[in-house]
Amino acid sequence: QVQLVESGGGLVQAGGSLRLSCAVSGRTFSNYVMGWFRQAPGKEREFVAGIRWSGSITSYADSVKGRFTISRENAKNTVYLQMNSLKPEDTAVYYCAARILYVGIVTRPREYDYWGQGTQVTVSS
């Protein structure tokens, strides 16, 4: 089993920054894909960013390119999402997810095997 625990959410004004963390524990694999998703009220869960655990391959949704950065710290088994220039439309519950088998950085929620509990991000205008 794999456990994912997100932290770092909160309330921030538009234009501000937050850094989300996702701590990974349990059985781990060197070829994970780690993803960040978000879900706003009344909307479907959507892909935000992904990273291959080994190597430096990343992928971003068009809506966050140039503002968000995904990274990992292998020694701490932690994945981060640095969010800058936040907008009210970034308001959502943010989820960390893990996929065991790397076949590229996939973007559909059903392609991920494990999920965290989510952390709320609220951006005020």
Side-chain angles (χ1 to χ4, degrees):
Q1 276 287 31
V2 175
Q3 293 81 43
L4 307 176
V5 178
E6 302 99 333
S7 61
L11 173 64
V12 65
Q13 289 188 334
S17 299
L18 282 174
R19 188 177 80 158
L20 305 183
S21 299
C22 174
V24 183
S25 62
R27 188 179 182 187
T28 58
F29 300 86
S30 61
N31 215 23
Y32 270 5
V33 175
M34 298 298 301
W36 284 99
F37 289 77
R38 67 186 181 187
Q39 188 166 18
K43 295 188 176 181
E44 294 187 351
R45 192 168 297 189
E46 64 174 359
F47 173 80
V48 174
I51 187 168
R52 187 177 182 180
W53 192 260
S54 59
S56 58
I57 297 173
T58 59
S59 180
Y60 296 91
D62 288 342
S63 59
V64 306
K65 279 181 182 176
R67 301 188 298 122
F68 291 11
T69 302
I70 189 171
S71 62
R72 71 199 187 309
E73 188 170 357
N74 292 4
K76 293 187 176 181
N77 277 351
T78 300
V79 176
Y80 303 100
L81 184 68
Q82 178 67 44
M83 306 185 294
N84 298 328
S85 302
L86 283 161
K87 304 175 181 179
E89 51 264 43
D90 294 318
T91 295
V93 177
Y94 282 70
Y95 297 91
C96 176
R99 175 185 168 93
I100 295 173
L101 179 63
Y102 178 76
V103 292
I105 297 179
V106 294
T107 62
R108 290 176 292 189
R110 66 173 184 265
E111 295 175 298
Y112 285 77
D113 303 299
Y114 300 98
W115 291 86
Q117 82 288 352
T119 185
Q120 175 72 45
V121 171
T122 303
V123 184
S124 64
S125 57

